[in-house]
Amino acid sequence: MKSISNKSWRSVFVIAKSNFVAWLSCQRTIISMLFIVAFCYIVADNHNNSMQQFGLRLHFAESLFVLLNKGCSITTLSILFLLTINELPARTNHQYIMLIRSSRSKWFYAQVLYCIWMSIAMLSFTILCTGLFVFPASEFRSGWSEIDASLSVQL
Protein backbone atom coordinates (compact mmCIF):
# COMPACT_ATOMS: atom_id res chain seq x y z
CA MET A 1 0.00 0.00 0.00
CA LYS A 2 1.28 3.41 -0.82
CA SER A 3 1.26 5.99 1.93
CA ILE A 4 -1.19 8.85 1.85
CA SER A 5 -0.43 12.50 2.38
CA ASN A 6 -1.40 14.54 5.42
CA LYS A 7 -4.04 16.35 3.35
CA SER A 8 -5.75 13.05 2.52
CA TRP A 9 -6.17 12.00 6.17
CA ARG A 10 -9.27 14.18 6.38
CA SER A 11 -11.10 11.94 3.94
CA VAL A 12 -9.87 8.87 5.86
CA PHE A 13 -11.42 10.27 9.05
CA VAL A 14 -14.67 11.07 7.23
CA ILE A 15 -14.94 7.52 5.87
CA ALA A 16 -14.09 5.99 9.26
CA LYS A 17 -16.59 8.25 11.03
CA SER A 18 -19.38 7.35 8.62
CA ASN A 19 -18.65 3.65 9.11
CA PHE A 20 -18.63 4.11 12.91
CA VAL A 21 -21.95 5.99 12.91
CA ALA A 22 -23.49 3.33 10.68
CA TRP A 23 -22.19 0.64 13.06
CA LEU A 24 -23.63 2.41 16.11
CA SER A 25 -27.06 2.67 14.52
CA CYS A 26 -27.17 -0.98 13.45
CA GLN A 27 -29.66 -3.21 15.29
CA ARG A 28 -27.08 -5.93 15.86
CA THR A 29 -24.83 -3.46 17.66
CA ILE A 30 -27.65 -2.39 19.97
CA ILE A 31 -28.46 -6.03 20.73
CA SER A 32 -24.77 -6.71 21.34
CA MET A 33 -24.60 -3.81 23.79
CA LEU A 34 -27.64 -5.17 25.65
CA PHE A 35 -25.88 -8.52 25.83
CA ILE A 36 -22.77 -6.85 27.24
CA VAL A 37 -24.89 -5.04 29.86
CA ALA A 38 -26.39 -8.38 30.94
CA PHE A 39 -22.97 -10.05 30.98
CA CYS A 40 -21.43 -7.24 33.06
CA TYR A 41 -24.35 -7.40 35.48
CA ILE A 42 -23.86 -11.14 36.00
CA VAL A 43 -20.10 -10.82 36.54
CA ALA A 44 -20.42 -7.79 38.86
CA ASP A 45 -23.28 -9.33 40.85
CA ASN A 46 -21.26 -12.51 41.35
CA HIS A 47 -18.32 -10.38 42.56
CA ASN A 48 -20.53 -8.32 44.89
CA ASN A 49 -22.13 -11.45 46.37
CA SER A 50 -18.80 -13.15 46.97
CA MET A 51 -17.39 -10.07 48.71
CA GLN A 52 -20.55 -9.77 50.81
CA GLN A 53 -20.37 -13.47 51.74
CA PHE A 54 -16.89 -12.99 53.19
CA GLY A 55 -17.84 -9.70 54.81
CA LEU A 56 -15.37 -7.69 52.73
CA ARG A 57 -15.77 -4.39 50.93
CA LEU A 58 -13.30 -3.39 48.27
CA HIS A 59 -12.48 0.05 46.99
CA PHE A 60 -14.05 0.97 43.67
CA ALA A 61 -10.73 0.84 41.80
CA GLU A 62 -9.82 -2.49 43.41
CA SER A 63 -13.16 -3.98 42.42
CA LEU A 64 -12.71 -2.88 38.82
CA PHE A 65 -9.17 -4.24 38.79
CA VAL A 66 -10.26 -7.61 40.20
CA LEU A 67 -13.14 -7.91 37.74
CA LEU A 68 -11.13 -6.86 34.73
CA ASN A 69 -8.27 -9.10 35.80
CA LYS A 70 -10.19 -12.32 36.41
CA GLY A 71 -13.78 -12.15 35.20
CA CYS A 72 -13.51 -9.95 32.18
CA SER A 73 -10.28 -11.13 30.62
CA ILE A 74 -10.55 -14.02 28.18
CA THR A 75 -14.31 -14.34 28.16
CA THR A 76 -15.03 -10.67 27.65
CA LEU A 77 -12.35 -10.12 25.09
CA SER A 78 -13.53 -13.14 23.12
CA ILE A 79 -17.10 -11.92 23.20
CA LEU A 80 -16.06 -8.39 22.26
CA PHE A 81 -13.96 -9.69 19.41
CA LEU A 82 -16.85 -11.72 18.03
CA LEU A 83 -19.38 -8.94 18.52
CA THR A 84 -17.25 -6.29 16.88
CA ILE A 85 -16.09 -8.45 14.01
CA ASN A 86 -19.64 -9.42 13.05
CA GLU A 87 -20.07 -6.02 11.39
CA LEU A 88 -16.84 -5.98 9.41
CA PRO A 89 -17.89 -7.86 6.28
CA ALA A 90 -20.99 -5.68 5.86
CA ARG A 91 -21.34 -4.93 2.20
CA THR A 92 -23.56 -1.94 1.82
CA ASN A 93 -24.00 0.54 -0.98
CA HIS A 94 -22.33 3.08 1.27
CA GLN A 95 -19.13 0.98 1.30
CA TYR A 96 -19.07 0.69 -2.47
CA ILE A 97 -19.63 4.43 -2.92
CA MET A 98 -16.80 5.24 -0.50
CA LEU A 99 -14.49 2.80 -2.27
CA ILE A 100 -15.26 4.32 -5.68
CA ARG A 101 -14.90 7.93 -4.52
CA SER A 102 -11.63 7.37 -2.65
CA SER A 103 -8.50 5.41 -3.35
CA ARG A 104 -8.00 1.89 -2.07
CA SER A 105 -5.33 3.01 0.38
CA LYS A 106 -7.60 5.69 1.90
CA TRP A 107 -10.44 3.20 2.16
CA PHE A 108 -8.14 0.61 3.75
CA TYR A 109 -6.76 3.06 6.33
CA ALA A 110 -10.30 4.19 7.10
CA GLN A 111 -11.34 0.56 7.72
CA VAL A 112 -8.40 0.03 10.09
CA LEU A 113 -9.24 3.24 11.95
CA TYR A 114 -12.90 2.20 12.11
CA CYS A 115 -11.93 -1.18 13.62
CA ILE A 116 -9.77 0.55 16.25
CA TRP A 117 -12.58 2.97 17.17
CA MET A 118 -15.07 0.11 17.32
CA SER A 119 -12.85 -1.94 19.64
CA ILE A 120 -12.16 1.02 21.93
CA ALA A 121 -15.87 1.86 22.08
CA MET A 122 -16.89 -1.68 23.05
CA LEU A 123 -14.12 -2.01 25.63
CA SER A 124 -15.01 1.37 27.14
CA PHE A 125 -18.67 0.39 27.22
CA THR A 126 -17.78 -2.85 29.04
CA ILE A 127 -15.65 -1.03 31.62
CA LEU A 128 -18.39 1.57 32.13
CA CYS A 129 -21.08 -1.07 32.64
CA THR A 130 -18.90 -3.06 35.03
CA GLY A 131 -18.13 0.08 37.00
CA LEU A 132 -21.79 1.02 37.26
CA PHE A 133 -22.75 -2.41 38.59
CA VAL A 134 -19.84 -2.56 41.07
CA PHE A 135 -20.36 1.00 42.32
CA PRO A 136 -23.12 0.28 44.92
CA ALA A 137 -21.05 -2.39 46.70
CA SER A 138 -17.78 -0.43 46.75
CA GLU A 139 -16.19 1.83 49.33
CA PHE A 140 -14.42 5.12 48.89
CA ARG A 141 -11.72 5.64 51.51
CA SER A 142 -7.96 5.86 51.71
CA GLY A 143 -5.66 2.95 52.49
CA TRP A 144 -5.85 -0.70 51.67
CA SER A 145 -9.00 -2.78 51.88
CA GLU A 146 -9.29 -5.86 54.09
CA ILE A 147 -8.72 -8.30 51.27
CA ASP A 148 -5.38 -6.73 50.37
CA ALA A 149 -4.22 -6.86 53.97
CA SER A 150 -5.28 -10.51 54.32
CA LEU A 151 -3.49 -11.45 51.09
CA SER A 152 -0.29 -9.72 52.17
CA VAL A 153 -0.30 -11.59 55.51
CA GLN A 154 -0.81 -14.95 53.75
CA LEU A 155 2.04 -14.33 51.32
Side-chain angles (χ1 to χ4, degrees):
M1 289 264 155
K2 72 176 193 177
S3 65
I4 59 176
S5 67
N6 289 338
K7 191 175 181 181
S8 300
W9 278 105
R10 183 171 185 261
S11 61
V12 169
F13 282 114
V14 169
I15 295 170
K17 182 181 174 187
S18 65
N19 288 339
F20 188 74
V21 169
W23 172 74
L24 279 178
S25 62
C26 181
Q27 292 176 354
R28 284 187 279 181
T29 304
I30 296 169
I31 292 170
S32 300
M33 287 184 173
L34 291 175
F35 177 76
I36 288 174
V37 168
F39 177 75
C40 289
Y41 174 75
I42 291 169
V43 171
D45 189 48
N46 184 20
H47 171 74
N48 292 341
N49 288 338
S50 64
M51 290 297 121
Q52 186 179 15
Q53 181 181 2
F54 292 114
L56 300 172
R57 289 182 62 94
L58 291 177
H59 298 295
F60 180 70
E62 290 173 326
S63 294
L64 275 179
F65 176 75
V66 167
L67 284 175
L68 293 176
N69 191 25
K70 69 169 185 156
C72 297
S73 58
I74 299 298
T75 308
T76 303
L77 292 178
S78 300
I79 290 170
L80 284 176
F81 179 72
L82 291 174
L83 292 177
T84 54
I85 297 301
N86 73 356
E87 289 297 320
L88 289 181
R91 293 182 183 162
T92 61
N93 291 333
H94 171 73
Q95 291 287 336
Y96 291 128
I97 290 171
M98 289 294 170
L99 187 56
I100 290 171
R101 292 185 178 257
S102 65
S103 66
R104 286 192 181 269
S105 62
K106 289 180 191 176
W107 183 83
F108 174 75
Y109 290 130
Q111 295 304 314
V112 170
L113 186 62
Y114 159 63
C115 291
I116 292 169
W117 286 352
M118 189 172 43
S119 300
I120 290 171
M122 290 301 264
L123 189 60
S124 301
F125 185 70
T126 303
I127 292 171
L128 177 72
C129 289
T130 304
L132 288 175
F133 292 129
V134 168
F135 183 76
S138 299
E139 286 185 344
F140 293 95
R141 60 185 169 110
S142 62
W144 294 95
S145 64
E146 296 86 14
I147 193 165
D148 292 333
S150 65
L151 286 175
S152 65
V153 170
Q154 290 177 0
L155 294 176

